[in-house]
């Protein structure tokens, strides 16, 4: 059974940084697309970034490009999202998601992923 566990959320002032982590287990991680999504109250779940655990190629939403960096550690079966220059608009619950590869370049919608973590809250104050 696939299991994804996020950690590392918290509160920070605008302009600050946070790193959230996702620990994965229970499937063939090395050939997966791992994504980060976020959802604020009353809003739809929004894609943030995706990484291919096999190639390391990354994809970003325009709203976070240049500020966020997704990375993976295949030895630890972990994926990270480094968030810099945070804005109040980044306040959301952040979710880790996984789906079998290799077409990670088109895995930009919640429906493209079949496994989800429980989420970790990120709050950015102005």
């Amino acid at each position: 059974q696939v299991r994804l566990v996020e950690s590392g959320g918290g509160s920070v002032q605008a302009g600050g940084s946070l790193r959230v982590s996702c620990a994965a287990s229970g499937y063939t991680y090395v050939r997966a697309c791992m994504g980060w999504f976020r959802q604020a109250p009353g809003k739809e779940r929004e894609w943030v970034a995706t990484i291919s655990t096999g190639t390391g190629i990354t994809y970003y939403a325009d709203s976070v490009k240049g500020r966020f960096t997704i990375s993976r550690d295949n030895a630890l079966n972990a994926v990270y999202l480094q968030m810099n220059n945070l804005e109040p608009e980044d306040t959301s619950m952040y979710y880790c998601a996984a789906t079998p590869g290799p077409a990670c370049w088109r895995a930009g919608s919640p429906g493209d992923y079949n496994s989800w973590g429980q989420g970790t809250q990120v709050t950015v104050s102005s």
Side-chain angles (χ1 to χ4, degrees), residues 23 40 62:
D62 287 343

Side-chain angles (χ1 to χ4, degrees), residues 94-113:
Y94 282 72
Y95 296 92
C96 176
T99 187
C104 299
W105 58 272
R106 58 184 181 191
S109 298
D112 296 325
Y113 294 79

Side-chain angles (χ1 to χ4, degrees), residues 40-92:
K43 294 189 176 181
E44 293 186 352
R45 192 162 294 191
E46 174 190 19
W47 172 69
V48 174
T50 296
I51 187 167
S52 165
T53 59
T55 65
I57 296 175
T58 57
Y59 310 89
Y60 296 95
D62 287 343
S63 59
V64 305
K65 201 172 292 183
R67 300 188 298 123
F68 290 12
T69 302
I70 189 171
S71 61
R72 93 289 196 203
D73 186 330
N74 288 352
L76 297 178
N77 282 5
V79 176
Y80 309 99
L81 186 69
Q82 176 67 43
M83 302 179 288
N84 297 328
N85 194 20
L86 282 160
E87 304 168 352
E89 294 74 22
D90 296 316
T91 296
S92 281

Side-chain angles (χ1 to χ4, degrees), residues 110-124:
D112 296 325
Y113 294 79
N114 53 19
S115 299
W116 293 86
Q118 82 289 350
T120 185
Q121 178 67 36
V122 171
T123 302
V124 184

